[in-house]
Amino acid sequence: MASLIVEIQSRHGAQYHRIDTPSLRLGRALDNDIILADPSVSPYHCIVHRNDNGSYTLKSLADENGIRIGGRRIEDPVTVDHLPLVFDAGRTRIRILDPAHIVAPTRMISCHGGSVCMFGHWGWALLLFALLTLISAFDNYLSTPLTLTWESFWRDQAIIMMVALGLVVSLLIINRITSHRWDLPSSLSFVSLLLTTALVLDLMIPYADYFFTSPLPGFIVGLAWSLILLPWAMAWFLVRLHHGNTAASIVFVVVLLLPAAYYQLKEIVSHYDLLNTFSKRSFYSDTLSPWDRRLQSTLSIDEFSAMSMPTVSPDTADR
């Protein structure tokens, strides 16, 4: 059997060591061939020995936690005849691999095929953040009630931008945890793009609801955004773009977006509760735009009154 490879798995990524000597000892002591920093590993934990016939044997040297294969503690020497051999030394996962073991496909970084890079460059990051500032200021202006004062406008705008920067820092920390990298430009670009998209959707949904004379388009877009597009975008950013740990990235995405999904579902439940109470014909648009384009024709006051009045038979009227 050719020289084998020992893979040491940790939260910082895997480390690989080739077995070039007749024996390879692993443990926490500094005179081992492979030094493990895991406190649950013994000073001299295990040894991989090459036999005279070219085969390899794994033997435990630890009295405390030993080695486990498939969750079962192994006391006797194990012949390495099936690769990869996976075992646990304390809390450290170790694999013995064949040098011809197939590695994962190479992941591209940021750009692909020479296309324009939107993430990872300060120019794009600042441009997207400036676009977010303009659109949020416009939305802030439209949502300001009654008399607009510059003091209240700039105060609200400062709060909006501080929230955006807080999300950037949060994503930066999550990216550091999952991929062990600090990348401020890509985090700034990604958060700016997401918030800009959310603001544009928030401005356009009332027009769609008014056009269809129904709140259904807004709910469909809101559900698709909260439950599909936003989770997919965050998972893509953490896993595909920054090569973060898949399991940890998915956990962070679920934890972060559960409140938004809960709020969206609660809005739907509240809406249909109202439909069961009031007439389904009554729908009030959120937009005050003079743009009057709808699929259904606009009812006159007389038509609406006729539809709203209960139908009374002549016999009932005589009574």
Side-chain angles (χ1 to χ4, degrees):
M1 185 180 292
S3 298
L4 301 181
I5 304 296
V6 176
E7 178 192 74
I8 311 295
Q9 299 180 6
S10 68
R11 63 183 300 270
H12 299 291
Q15 298 178 355
Y16 296 89
H17 306 269
R18 184 181 296 275
I19 305 178
D20 290 328
T21 58
S23 63
L24 186 77
R25 190 174 63 195
L26 299 83
R28 239 176 346 104
L30 300 183
D31 58 347
N32 285 294
D33 299 299
I34 298 179
I35 303 172
L36 304 175
D38 186 353
S40 65
V41 171
S42 301
Y44 304 102
H45 201 96
C46 62
I47 187 170
V48 181
H49 178 73
R50 184 167 57 196
N51 303 316
D52 295 337
N53 60 1
S55 63
Y56 288 84
T57 301
L58 171 66
K59 180 181 179 182
S60 176
L61 304 176
D63 296 328
E64 296 83 3
N65 296 315
I67 61 174
R68 297 180 180 273
I69 299 178
R72 184 169 60 91
R73 180 159 179 163
I74 304 298
E75 301 291 349
D76 299 327
V78 177
T79 301
V80 184
D81 50 3
H82 292 90
L83 296 175
L85 176 64
V86 182
F87 66 96
D88 295 314
R91 291 191 176 93
T92 300
R93 175 62 56 89
I94 300 175
R95 295 200 303 170
I96 298 180
L97 308 173
D98 189 295
H101 185 79
I102 298 176
V103 298
T106 303
R107 293 182 178 180
M108 300 301 295
I109 56 174
S110 298
C111 308
H112 179 67
S115 59
V116 176
C117 300
M118 189 172 293
F119 303 100
H121 293 271
W122 276 108
W124 278 104
L126 296 177
L127 180 62
L128 290 172
F129 188 73
L131 180 63
L132 170 64
T133 303
L134 291 176
I135 294 180
S136 63
F138 178 70
D139 183 71
N140 183 24
Y141 173 80
L142 293 180
S143 61
T144 301
L146 303 177
T147 305
L148 174 67
T149 63
W150 286 113
E151 180 182 358
S152 63
F153 174 82
W154 288 116
R155 182 181 64 249
D156 294 342
Q157 186 63 25
I159 293 175
I160 294 172
M161 303 319 297
M162 290 300 294
V163 170
L165 292 177
L167 292 175
V168 172
V169 173
S170 300
L171 186 62
L172 190 65
I173 294 173
I174 294 173
N175 188 31
R176 172 63 181 175
I177 294 174
T178 56
S179 64
H180 314 291
R181 294 177 55 195
W182 295 105
D183 196 341
L184 181 56
S186 64
S187 297
L188 182 60
S189 298
F190 183 76
V191 170
S192 299
L193 184 61
L194 280 188
L195 293 181
T196 300
T197 304
L199 288 173
V200 171
L201 289 176
D202 186 61
L203 291 172
M204 297 304 297
I205 282 176
Y207 292 96
D209 290 344
Y210 184 80
F211 179 76
F212 290 100
T213 321
S214 168
L216 189 59
F219 283 119
I220 292 176
V221 173
L223 273 180
W225 175 254
S226 300
L227 301 181
I228 300 175
L229 296 178
L230 191 57
W232 176 85
M234 291 191 64
W236 174 85
F237 177 82
L238 294 173
V239 177
R240 297 291 297 175
L241 186 64
H242 285 284
H243 310 160
N245 181 272
T246 302
S249 300
I250 292 176
V251 169
F252 275 112
V253 169
V254 171
V255 171
L256 286 176
L257 298 184
L258 267 180
Y262 171 77
Y263 174 77
Q264 193 69 31
L265 293 174
K266 187 177 180 181
E267 285 290 312
I268 293 177
V269 172
S270 301
H271 169 72
Y272 282 103
D273 285 343
L274 288 176
L275 286 184
N276 292 330
T277 305
F278 300 102
S279 169
K280 295 184 180 181
R281 294 183 179 274
S282 299
F283 173 73
Y284 301 94
S285 174
D286 290 334
T287 178
L288 299 178
S289 171
W291 183 75
D292 188 11
R293 295 291 184 273
R294 297 192 305 159
L295 290 180
Q296 299 183 11
S297 58
T298 302
L299 298 176
S300 66
I301 296 178
D302 294 337
E303 291 173 331
F304 181 79
S305 300
M307 294 174 57
S308 303
M309 293 294 292
T311 303
V312 181
S313 63
D315 296 339
T316 306
D318 293 339
R319 296 177 188 175

